[in-house]
């Protein structure tokens, strides 16, 4: 079956040139979600990168998305199950689009913004290597897009010092079945939203 669904003269859905697979048409209402892509990372990825002026270490939290419509906005959500660092007390995530930082905190003087960061340890002394914290943030990229031209979003990991890890605690011990020894997952999700 082939055809086009129109409402009020606007093409909402078509059959992709007669292929039989449905796709959004040219008259998609603003605010409609055109596509969703998500990546889940379960590896215990790490970074020794301390340069917050850059885009951080690639830990697999990347999505390359090809816009279906020009002018779309993109909603980006990044979540870290647990993060920790071996030296210092903070790890961070830097959001970038095609190698350029977006949605991060303000760069001012010697301080460079990050998308979000987490403290290294929980507990009253800050030296508890069995624990860490997770964190998340979201951003709406309104910088524009061209249908058919791909965009790559990356959530890169940086460390205050030593080595930063995601999805594991600092000690990474294997001597018990307690929750604090459990591995987590981290993810990034991108939604294309018609305008």
């Amino acid at each position: 079956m082939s055809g086009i669904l129109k409402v009020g003269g606007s093409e909402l859905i078509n059959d992709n040139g007669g292929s039989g697979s449905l796709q959004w048409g040219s008259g998609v209402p603003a605010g409609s979600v055109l596509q969703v892509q998500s990546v889940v990372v379960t590896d215990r990825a790490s970074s020794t990168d301390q340069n917050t002026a850059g885009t951080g270490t690639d830990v697999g939290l990347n999505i390359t998305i090809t816009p279906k419509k020009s002018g779309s906005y993109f909603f980006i959500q990044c979540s870290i199950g647990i993060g920790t660092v071996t030296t210092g007390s903070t790890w961070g995530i830097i959001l970038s689009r095609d190698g350029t930082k977006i949605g991060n905190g303000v760069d001012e003087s010697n301080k460079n913004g990050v998308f979000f960061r987490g403290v290294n340890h929980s507990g009253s002394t800050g030296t508890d290597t069995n624990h860490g914290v997770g964190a998340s943030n979201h951003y709406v990229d309104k910088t524009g897009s061209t249908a058919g031209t791909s965009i790559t979003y990356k959530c890169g990991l940086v460390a205050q010092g030593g080595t930063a890890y995601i999805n594991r605690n600092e000690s990474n011990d294997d001597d018990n079945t307690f929750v604090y020894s459990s591995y987590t997952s981290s993810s990034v999700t991108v939604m294309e939203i018609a305008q």
Side-chain angles (χ1 to χ4, degrees), residues 44 82 130 167-169 172-173 176-184:
R44 275 75 64 200
I82 185 173
N130 290 327
N167 299 330
R168 56 160 271 199
N169 64 25
N172 199 31
D173 58 10
N176 61 60
T177 58
F178 295 131
V179 172
Y180 71 75
S181 294
S182 299
Y183 296 137
T184 66

Side-chain angles (χ1 to χ4, degrees), residues 23-157:
Q23 68 179 16
W24 284 111
S26 58
V28 178
S32 298
V33 176
L34 301 180
Q35 61 177 314
V36 178
Q37 293 192 27
S38 189
V39 170
V40 176
V41 173
T42 57
D43 293 340
R44 275 75 64 200
S46 64
S47 171
T48 57
D49 186 356
Q50 298 177 32
N51 180 13
T52 54
T55 60
T57 297
D58 182 349
V59 291
L61 294 170
N62 314 308
I63 288 182
T64 298
I65 190 167
T66 302
K68 296 187 178 292
K69 191 171 190 296
S70 294
S72 293
Y73 290 175
F74 295 87
F75 180 88
I76 304 108
Q77 170 79 42
C78 183
S79 300
I80 303 297
I82 185 173
T84 190
V85 66
T86 59
T87 304
S89 55
T90 305
W91 56 270
I93 294 291
I94 296 173
L95 177 63
S96 63
R97 171 183 168 155
D98 294 330
T100 300
K101 290 173 66 171
I102 61 167
N104 297 278
V106 175
D107 292 342
E108 184 177 295
S109 185
N110 292 325
K111 300 180 187 107
N112 296 302
V114 297
F115 190 45
F116 62 88
R117 61 191 180 105
V119 296
N120 183 30
H121 302 119
S122 60
S124 59
T125 64
T127 59
D128 181 355
T129 62
N130 290 327
H131 296 87
V133 296
S136 67
N137 199 0
H138 63 271
Y139 177 70
V140 177
D141 179 11
K142 300 178 182 179
T143 56
S145 63
T146 302
T149 302
S150 65
I151 300 166
T152 298
Y153 292 101
K154 172 183 150 186
C155 295
L157 180 64

